[in-house]
Amino acid sequence: MQMQVVNSLKAHGLKVTPQRVTILSAIEKKGHANIDEIYKEAKTTNPTMSLATVYKNITSLIETKLLKEVAINNQKSKYELSKEPHSHLICKECGSLEDIDSNNLFTLNNDKIDFDIEEVELNIYGVCNKCKDKGTSKN
Amino acid sequence: MQMQVVNSLKAHGLKVTPQRVTILSAIEKKGHANIDEIYKEAKTTNPTMSLATVYKNITSLIETKLLKEVAINNQKSKYELSKEPHSHLICKECGSLEDIDSNNLFTLNNDKIDFDIEEVELNIYGVCNKCKDKGTSKN
DNA sequence: GATATAATTAATAAAAATTATTATTTAGGA
DNA sequence: TCCTAAATAATAATTTTTATTAATTATATC
Ligand SMILES: [Mn+2]
Ligand SMILES: [Mn+2]
Ligand SMILES: [Zn+2]
Ligand SMILES: [Zn+2]
Protein backbone atom coordinates (compact mmCIF):
# COMPACT_ATOMS: atom_id res chain seq x y z
CA MET A 1 0.00 0.00 0.00
CA GLN A 2 1.03 3.62 -0.51
CA MET A 3 3.49 3.78 2.37
CA GLN A 4 3.93 7.50 1.80
CA VAL A 5 0.23 8.15 2.25
CA VAL A 6 -0.17 5.68 5.11
CA ASN A 7 2.60 7.31 7.09
CA SER A 8 1.21 10.73 6.38
CA LEU A 9 -2.17 9.72 7.79
CA LYS A 10 -0.56 8.25 10.89
CA ALA A 11 1.61 11.30 11.37
CA HIS A 12 -1.47 13.46 11.37
CA GLY A 13 -3.32 11.26 13.82
CA LEU A 14 -5.90 9.94 11.41
CA LYS A 15 -6.94 6.31 11.17
CA VAL A 16 -5.63 4.58 8.11
CA THR A 17 -8.70 3.48 6.19
CA PRO A 18 -8.66 2.20 2.62
CA GLN A 19 -10.99 5.06 1.70
CA ARG A 20 -8.53 7.66 2.91
CA VAL A 21 -5.63 5.98 1.23
CA THR A 22 -7.61 5.83 -1.99
CA ILE A 23 -8.63 9.48 -1.80
CA LEU A 24 -5.13 10.70 -1.12
CA SER A 25 -3.69 8.50 -3.83
CA ALA A 26 -6.25 9.83 -6.28
CA ILE A 27 -5.30 13.40 -5.49
CA GLU A 28 -1.63 12.58 -5.66
CA LYS A 29 -2.13 11.04 -9.07
CA LYS A 30 -4.12 14.00 -10.41
CA GLY A 31 -2.02 16.68 -8.76
CA HIS A 32 -5.04 18.92 -8.32
CA ALA A 33 -8.62 17.72 -8.43
CA ASN A 34 -12.09 18.82 -7.42
CA ILE A 35 -14.57 16.69 -5.48
CA ASP A 36 -16.03 15.03 -8.55
CA GLU A 37 -12.68 14.20 -10.06
CA ILE A 38 -11.51 12.75 -6.76
CA TYR A 39 -14.67 10.71 -6.39
CA LYS A 40 -14.49 9.42 -9.93
CA GLU A 41 -10.83 8.50 -9.68
CA ALA A 42 -11.25 6.94 -6.26
CA LYS A 43 -14.07 4.73 -7.50
CA THR A 44 -11.81 3.05 -10.01
CA THR A 45 -9.91 1.64 -7.03
CA ASN A 46 -12.78 1.36 -4.58
CA PRO A 47 -16.09 1.13 -6.47
CA THR A 48 -18.22 1.08 -3.32
CA MET A 49 -16.85 4.36 -2.04
CA SER A 50 -19.59 6.79 -1.09
CA LEU A 51 -19.54 10.41 -2.20
CA ALA A 52 -20.38 11.47 1.35
CA THR A 53 -17.22 9.74 2.47
CA VAL A 54 -15.22 11.81 0.03
CA TYR A 55 -16.78 15.02 1.31
CA LYS A 56 -16.22 14.15 4.93
CA ASN A 57 -12.66 13.08 4.41
CA ILE A 58 -11.75 16.11 2.35
CA THR A 59 -12.93 18.18 5.30
CA SER A 60 -10.91 16.31 7.88
CA LEU A 61 -7.86 16.06 5.66
CA ILE A 62 -7.93 19.82 5.27
CA GLU A 63 -8.42 20.35 8.98
CA THR A 64 -5.37 18.24 9.68
CA LYS A 65 -3.44 20.15 6.98
CA LEU A 66 -2.82 17.07 4.92
CA LEU A 67 -4.69 18.68 2.06
CA LYS A 68 -4.96 22.21 0.85
CA GLU A 69 -7.92 23.81 -0.87
CA VAL A 70 -7.36 25.90 -3.96
CA ALA A 71 -10.37 28.15 -4.51
CA ILE A 72 -10.65 29.24 -8.12
CA ASN A 73 -12.82 31.81 -9.87
CA ASN A 74 -15.51 30.23 -11.99
CA GLN A 75 -14.69 26.65 -10.98
CA LYS A 76 -15.25 24.32 -8.09
CA SER A 77 -12.40 24.31 -5.59
CA LYS A 78 -9.58 21.92 -6.23
CA TYR A 79 -7.55 20.07 -3.64
CA GLU A 80 -3.89 19.16 -3.52
CA LEU A 81 -1.54 17.44 -1.13
CA SER A 82 0.14 19.93 1.16
CA LYS A 83 3.60 20.78 -0.05
CA GLU A 84 6.06 23.61 -0.37
CA PRO A 85 4.44 27.02 -0.90
CA HIS A 86 4.00 27.60 -4.60
CA SER A 87 1.83 29.50 -7.01
CA HIS A 88 -0.63 28.49 -9.71
CA LEU A 89 -1.16 29.17 -13.36
CA ILE A 90 -4.86 28.89 -14.13
CA CYS A 91 -6.12 28.85 -17.70
CA LYS A 92 -9.32 30.80 -18.28
CA GLU A 93 -10.01 28.83 -21.43
CA CYS A 94 -9.71 25.21 -20.37
CA GLY A 95 -9.63 25.61 -16.61
CA SER A 96 -6.36 23.74 -16.30
CA LEU A 97 -4.26 24.52 -13.28
CA GLU A 98 -0.57 23.95 -12.88
CA ASP A 99 1.98 24.57 -10.21
CA ILE A 100 4.64 27.17 -10.58
CA ASP A 101 7.52 27.61 -8.21
CA SER A 102 7.20 30.78 -6.20
CA ASN A 103 10.92 31.09 -5.60
CA ASN A 104 12.21 33.95 -7.66
CA LEU A 105 8.73 34.42 -9.07
CA PHE A 106 7.79 37.32 -6.88
CA THR A 107 9.08 39.26 -3.95
CA LEU A 108 6.68 40.26 -1.22
CA ASN A 109 7.43 43.63 0.31
CA ASN A 110 5.42 43.16 3.44
CA ASP A 111 7.14 45.68 5.65
CA LYS A 112 4.05 47.75 6.27
CA ILE A 113 1.34 45.11 6.33
CA ASP A 114 -0.17 45.02 9.78
CA PHE A 115 -1.66 41.56 9.54
CA ASP A 116 -0.54 38.17 10.83
CA ILE A 117 0.29 36.48 7.55
CA GLU A 118 -0.17 32.73 7.57
CA GLU A 119 -0.28 32.04 3.90
CA VAL A 120 0.34 33.88 0.68
CA GLU A 121 -1.47 32.68 -2.38
CA LEU A 122 -0.61 33.90 -5.83
CA ASN A 123 -2.92 32.83 -8.60
CA ILE A 124 -2.10 33.81 -12.12
CA TYR A 125 -5.00 33.62 -14.56
CA GLY A 126 -4.51 33.66 -18.29
CA VAL A 127 -4.34 31.36 -21.27
CA CYS A 128 -2.21 28.25 -21.16
CA ASN A 129 0.02 27.34 -24.06
CA LYS A 130 -2.15 24.46 -25.17
CA CYS A 131 -5.11 26.79 -25.53
CA LYS A 132 -2.96 29.50 -27.04
CA ASP A 133 -1.88 27.10 -29.77
CA LYS A 134 -5.23 25.57 -30.49
CA GLY A 135 -6.92 28.92 -30.38
CA THR A 136 -10.01 26.97 -29.38
CA SER A 137 -11.64 26.11 -26.09
CA LYS A 138 -12.05 23.18 -23.69
CA ASN A 139 -9.51 20.40 -24.02
CA MET B 1 -30.47 57.24 -9.09
CA GLN B 2 -26.88 56.08 -8.77
CA MET B 3 -25.56 57.88 -11.85
CA GLN B 4 -22.22 56.13 -11.46
CA VAL B 5 -23.82 52.72 -11.63
CA VAL B 6 -26.29 53.65 -14.35
CA ASN B 7 -23.56 54.91 -16.61
CA SER B 8 -21.49 51.86 -15.92
CA LEU B 9 -24.34 49.60 -17.01
CA LYS B 10 -24.88 51.62 -20.17
CA ALA B 11 -21.19 51.64 -20.95
CA HIS B 12 -21.17 47.86 -20.79
CA GLY B 13 -24.22 47.51 -23.00
CA LEU B 14 -26.57 46.25 -20.32
CA LYS B 15 -30.11 47.46 -19.83
CA VAL B 16 -30.53 49.65 -16.81
CA THR B 17 -33.03 47.87 -14.61
CA PRO B 18 -33.77 48.83 -11.02
CA GLN B 19 -32.67 45.33 -10.02
CA ARG B 20 -29.23 45.78 -11.53
CA VAL B 21 -28.82 49.20 -10.04
CA THR B 22 -29.81 47.83 -6.67
CA ILE B 23 -27.43 44.90 -6.92
CA LEU B 24 -24.49 47.03 -7.93
CA SER B 25 -25.27 49.59 -5.26
CA ALA B 26 -25.43 46.85 -2.66
CA ILE B 27 -22.03 45.55 -3.68
CA GLU B 28 -20.62 49.04 -3.79
CA LYS B 29 -21.88 49.67 -0.28
CA LYS B 30 -20.47 46.42 1.08
CA GLY B 31 -17.23 46.51 -0.84
CA HIS B 32 -17.14 42.73 -1.12
CA ALA B 33 -20.15 40.50 -0.66
CA ASN B 34 -21.31 36.98 -1.40
CA ILE B 35 -24.62 36.08 -3.03
CA ASP B 36 -26.54 35.98 0.21
CA GLU B 37 -25.19 39.26 1.46
CA ILE B 38 -25.98 40.90 -1.86
CA TYR B 39 -29.49 39.47 -1.87
CA LYS B 40 -30.15 40.53 1.68
CA GLU B 41 -28.83 44.04 1.17
CA ALA B 42 -30.64 44.42 -2.14
CA LYS B 43 -33.95 43.44 -0.58
CA THR B 44 -33.82 46.38 1.78
CA THR B 45 -34.13 48.59 -1.28
CA ASN B 46 -36.20 46.29 -3.46
CA PRO B 47 -38.13 43.80 -1.29
CA THR B 48 -39.63 41.92 -4.24
CA MET B 49 -36.28 41.10 -5.76
CA SER B 50 -35.90 37.41 -6.56
CA LEU B 51 -32.81 35.43 -5.60
CA ALA B 52 -32.72 33.96 -9.10
CA THR B 53 -32.45 37.50 -10.43
CA VAL B 54 -29.41 38.07 -8.26
CA TYR B 55 -27.79 34.89 -9.53
CA LYS B 56 -28.48 35.67 -13.17
CA ASN B 57 -27.27 39.22 -12.90
CA ILE B 58 -24.11 38.34 -11.06
CA THR B 59 -23.32 36.05 -13.98
CA SER B 60 -23.91 38.66 -16.64
CA LEU B 61 -22.22 41.41 -14.68
CA ILE B 62 -19.15 39.22 -14.44
CA GLU B 63 -19.30 38.35 -18.12
CA THR B 64 -19.33 42.02 -18.98
CA LYS B 65 -16.47 42.64 -16.54
CA LEU B 66 -18.48 44.99 -14.40
CA LEU B 67 -18.00 42.67 -11.48
CA LYS B 68 -15.15 40.49 -10.37
CA GLU B 69 -15.37 37.23 -8.50
CA VAL B 70 -13.08 36.64 -5.55
CA ALA B 71 -12.91 32.91 -4.85
CA ILE B 72 -11.87 32.22 -1.28
CA ASN B 73 -10.84 29.07 0.53
CA ASN B 74 -13.49 27.83 2.93
CA GLN B 75 -16.04 30.50 2.01
CA LYS B 76 -18.52 31.26 -0.71
CA SER B 77 -17.12 33.48 -3.43
CA LYS B 78 -17.42 37.19 -2.92
CA TYR B 79 -17.99 39.79 -5.62
CA GLU B 80 -16.68 43.31 -6.00
CA LEU B 81 -16.95 46.11 -8.51
CA SER B 82 -14.14 45.97 -11.03
CA LYS B 83 -11.41 48.38 -10.15
CA GLU B 84 -7.67 48.80 -10.15
CA PRO B 85 -5.73 45.57 -9.65
CA HIS B 86 -5.22 45.04 -5.95
CA SER B 87 -4.69 42.28 -3.46
CA HIS B 88 -6.68 40.94 -0.53
CA LEU B 89 -6.13 40.28 3.12
CA ILE B 90 -8.39 37.44 4.21
CA CYS B 91 -8.87 36.57 7.87
CA LYS B 92 -9.02 32.87 8.63
CA GLU B 93 -10.77 33.58 11.91
CA CYS B 94 -13.66 35.83 11.00
CA GLY B 95 -13.58 35.50 7.22
CA SER B 96 -13.29 39.23 6.71
CA LEU B 97 -11.71 40.40 3.49
CA GLU B 98 -10.12 43.72 2.82
CA ASP B 99 -8.39 45.35 -0.08
CA ILE B 100 -4.73 46.07 -0.05
CA ASP B 101 -2.94 48.08 -2.66
CA SER B 102 -0.69 45.91 -4.77
CA ASN B 103 1.63 48.77 -5.69
CA ASN B 104 4.89 48.30 -3.85
CA LEU B 105 3.40 45.24 -2.17
CA PHE B 106 5.06 42.73 -4.40
CA THR B 107 7.16 42.53 -7.50
CA LEU B 108 6.42 39.90 -10.08
CA ASN B 109 9.49 38.54 -11.80
CA ASN B 110 7.72 37.01 -14.71
CA ASP B 111 10.58 36.87 -17.17
CA LYS B 112 10.48 33.15 -17.60
CA ILE B 113 6.78 32.41 -17.36
CA ASP B 114 5.58 31.09 -20.67
CA PHE B 115 1.91 31.85 -20.18
CA ASP B 116 -0.36 34.65 -21.39
CA ILE B 117 -1.00 36.43 -18.13
CA GLU B 118 -4.33 38.20 -17.96
CA GLU B 119 -4.67 38.66 -14.28
CA VAL B 120 -2.55 38.23 -11.19
CA GLU B 121 -4.32 37.57 -7.95
CA LEU B 122 -2.54 37.72 -4.64
CA ASN B 123 -4.50 36.58 -1.63
CA ILE B 124 -2.96 36.83 1.76
CA TYR B 125 -4.56 34.66 4.43
CA GLY B 126 -3.93 35.17 8.10
CA VAL B 127 -5.50 36.74 11.16
CA CYS B 128 -6.85 40.26 11.02
CA ASN B 129 -6.11 42.73 13.79
CA LYS B 130 -9.62 42.62 15.17
CA CYS B 131 -9.33 38.87 15.66
CA LYS B 132 -5.78 39.15 16.87
CA ASP B 133 -6.92 41.50 19.64
CA LYS B 134 -10.01 39.62 20.66
CA GLY B 135 -8.19 36.33 20.56
CA THR B 136 -11.60 34.78 19.89
CA SER B 137 -13.48 33.76 16.77
CA LYS B 138 -16.34 34.97 14.57
CA ASN B 139 -17.24 38.61 14.84
C1' DG C 1 -4.54 -13.52 18.09
C1' DA C 2 -9.07 -12.36 20.35
C1' DT C 3 -11.96 -8.43 22.33
C1' DA C 4 -13.78 -3.90 23.18
C1' DT C 5 -14.81 0.48 21.58
C1' DA C 6 -14.81 4.65 19.35
C1' DA C 7 -14.24 6.13 14.71
C1' DT C 8 -15.47 5.43 10.07
C1' DT C 9 -18.29 4.02 6.39
C1' DA C 10 -22.27 3.20 2.97
C1' DA C 11 -26.66 4.22 2.22
C1' DT C 12 -29.91 7.33 2.45
C1' DA C 13 -32.43 11.42 3.63
C1' DA C 14 -32.37 16.22 4.25
C1' DA C 15 -30.83 20.70 3.44
C1' DA C 16 -28.60 24.23 0.85
C1' DA C 17 -27.14 26.22 -3.39
C1' DT C 18 -27.71 26.96 -8.16
C1' DT C 19 -29.96 26.74 -12.56
C1' DA C 20 -34.03 26.16 -15.64
C1' DT C 21 -38.79 27.22 -16.97
C1' DT C 22 -42.52 30.18 -17.93
C1' DA C 23 -45.90 33.71 -17.79
C1' DT C 24 -45.66 38.52 -17.11
C1' DT C 25 -43.50 42.93 -17.09
C1' DT C 26 -40.42 46.37 -18.78
C1' DA C 27 -36.44 49.06 -20.97
C1' DG C 28 -35.19 51.22 -24.84
C1' DG C 29 -35.44 51.93 -29.66
C1' DA C 30 -38.50 53.04 -33.72
C1' DT D 1 -46.81 55.83 -28.10
C1' DC D 2 -45.93 51.25 -29.75
C1' DC D 3 -43.08 47.04 -30.48
C1' DT D 4 -40.11 43.72 -29.23
C1' DA D 5 -36.42 41.50 -27.22
C1' DA D 6 -34.72 41.26 -22.76
C1' DA D 7 -35.44 40.94 -17.96
C1' DT D 8 -38.04 39.66 -13.92
C1' DA D 9 -40.74 37.07 -10.20
C1' DA D 10 -42.33 32.94 -9.05
C1' DT D 11 -41.59 28.50 -9.04
C1' DA D 12 -39.84 24.00 -10.21
C1' DA D 13 -35.99 21.21 -11.04
C1' DT D 14 -31.39 20.11 -10.53
C1' DT D 15 -27.07 19.98 -8.34
C1' DT D 16 -24.20 20.21 -4.41
C1' DT D 17 -23.33 19.55 0.31
C1' DT D 18 -24.42 18.03 4.91
C1' DA D 19 -26.85 15.17 8.40
C1' DT D 20 -28.53 10.72 10.09
C1' DT D 21 -28.10 5.99 11.22
C1' DA D 22 -27.16 1.20 11.29
C1' DA D 23 -23.37 -1.63 10.13
C1' DT D 24 -18.49 -2.16 9.70
C1' DT D 25 -13.73 -1.57 10.91
C1' DA D 26 -9.14 0.26 12.74
C1' DT D 27 -6.57 0.12 16.58
C1' DA D 28 -5.58 -0.16 21.38
C1' DT D 29 -5.42 -3.45 25.13
C1' DC D 30 -5.26 -7.60 26.71
MN1 LIG E 1 -0.57 23.38 -6.46
MN1 LIG F 1 -11.10 43.76 -3.55
ZN1 LIG G 1 -5.87 26.11 -21.44
ZN1 LIG H 1 -10.64 38.48 11.67
Side-chain angles (χ1 to χ4, degrees), chain B residues 32 80 83 86 88 99:
Chain B
H32 308 81
E80 65 182 341
K83 48 188 164 181
H86 61 276
H88 291 121
D99 287 346

PDB file of all heavy atoms in Angstrom, chain B residues 32 80 83 86 88 99, ligand 2:
ATOM      1  N   HIS B  32     -17.153  44.106  -0.634  1.00  0.00           N
ATOM      2  CA  HIS B  32     -17.136  42.731  -1.118  1.00  0.00           C
ATOM      3  C   HIS B  32     -18.290  42.008  -0.453  1.00  0.00           C
ATOM      4  O   HIS B  32     -18.506  42.168   0.737  1.00  0.00           O
ATOM      5  CB  HIS B  32     -15.840  42.017  -0.756  1.00  0.00           C
ATOM      6  CG  HIS B  32     -14.599  42.750  -1.142  1.00  0.00           C
ATOM      7  ND1 HIS B  32     -14.097  43.773  -0.383  1.00  0.00           N
ATOM      8  CD2 HIS B  32     -13.768  42.622  -2.195  1.00  0.00           C
ATOM      9  CE1 HIS B  32     -13.001  44.247  -0.968  1.00  0.00           C
ATOM     10  NE2 HIS B  32     -12.777  43.560  -2.072  1.00  0.00           N
ATOM     11  N   GLU B  80     -16.999  41.893  -6.199  1.00  0.00           N
ATOM     12  CA  GLU B  80     -16.684  43.308  -6.002  1.00  0.00           C
ATOM     13  C   GLU B  80     -16.794  44.025  -7.331  1.00  0.00           C
ATOM     14  O   GLU B  80     -16.712  43.405  -8.395  1.00  0.00           O
ATOM     15  CB  GLU B  80     -15.264  43.461  -5.434  1.00  0.00           C
ATOM     16  CG  GLU B  80     -14.179  42.998  -6.390  1.00  0.00           C
ATOM     17  CD  GLU B  80     -12.774  43.107  -5.809  1.00  0.00           C
ATOM     18  OE1 GLU B  80     -12.585  43.846  -4.830  1.00  0.00           O
ATOM     19  OE2 GLU B  80     -11.868  42.441  -6.345  1.00  0.00           O
ATOM     20  N   LYS B  83     -12.187  47.154 -10.394  1.00  0.00           N
ATOM     21  CA  LYS B  83     -11.413  48.376 -10.151  1.00  0.00           C
ATOM     22  C   LYS B  83      -9.945  48.087 -10.393  1.00  0.00           C
ATOM     23  O   LYS B  83      -9.610  47.051 -10.962  1.00  0.00           O
ATOM     24  CB  LYS B  83     -11.661  48.899  -8.740  1.00  0.00           C
ATOM     25  CG  LYS B  83     -11.546  47.829  -7.657  1.00  0.00           C
ATOM     26  CD  LYS B  83     -11.999  48.367  -6.296  1.00  0.00           C
ATOM     27  CE  LYS B  83     -12.257  47.214  -5.335  1.00  0.00           C
ATOM     28  NZ  LYS B  83     -12.724  47.650  -4.012  1.00  0.00           N
ATOM     29  N   HIS B  86      -5.608  44.911  -7.359  1.00  0.00           N
ATOM     30  CA  HIS B  86      -5.219  45.037  -5.954  1.00  0.00           C
ATOM     31  C   HIS B  86      -5.219  43.654  -5.334  1.00  0.00           C
ATOM     32  O   HIS B  86      -5.631  42.694  -5.960  1.00  0.00           O
ATOM     33  CB  HIS B  86      -6.185  45.973  -5.219  1.00  0.00           C
ATOM     34  CG  HIS B  86      -7.592  45.485  -5.213  1.00  0.00           C
ATOM     35  ND1 HIS B  86      -8.466  45.702  -6.260  1.00  0.00           N
ATOM     36  CD2 HIS B  86      -8.287  44.763  -4.309  1.00  0.00           C
ATOM     37  CE1 HIS B  86      -9.624  45.148  -5.989  1.00  0.00           C
ATOM     38  NE2 HIS B  86      -9.547  44.557  -4.805  1.00  0.00           N
ATOM     39  N   HIS B  88      -5.722  41.103  -1.623  1.00  0.00           N
ATOM     40  CA  HIS B  88      -6.678  40.944  -0.535  1.00  0.00           C
ATOM     41  C   HIS B  88      -6.042  40.352   0.718  1.00  0.00           C
ATOM     42  O   HIS B  88      -5.226  39.447   0.631  1.00  0.00           O
ATOM     43  CB  HIS B  88      -7.829  40.041  -0.978  1.00  0.00           C
ATOM     44  CG  HIS B  88      -8.714  40.664  -1.994  1.00  0.00           C
ATOM     45  ND1 HIS B  88      -8.940  40.135  -3.230  1.00  0.00           N
ATOM     46  CD2 HIS B  88      -9.420  41.820  -1.954  1.00  0.00           C
ATOM     47  CE1 HIS B  88      -9.748  40.918  -3.909  1.00  0.00           C
ATOM     48  NE2 HIS B  88     -10.057  41.952  -3.167  1.00  0.00           N
ATOM     49  N   ASP B  99      -9.295  45.014   1.010  1.00  0.00           N
ATOM     50  CA  ASP B  99      -8.390  45.351  -0.084  1.00  0.00           C
ATOM     51  C   ASP B  99      -7.043  45.791   0.451  1.00  0.00           C
ATOM     52  O   ASP B  99      -6.935  46.368   1.531  1.00  0.00           O
ATOM     53  CB  ASP B  99      -8.969  46.507  -0.899  1.00  0.00           C
ATOM     54  CG  ASP B  99     -10.151  46.082  -1.741  1.00  0.00           C
ATOM     55  OD1 ASP B  99     -10.340  44.859  -1.901  1.00  0.00           O
ATOM     56  OD2 ASP B  99     -10.871  46.959  -2.226  1.00  0.00           O
TER      57      ASP B  99
HETATM   58 MN    MN E   2     -11.104  43.762  -3.545  1.00  0.00          MN
END
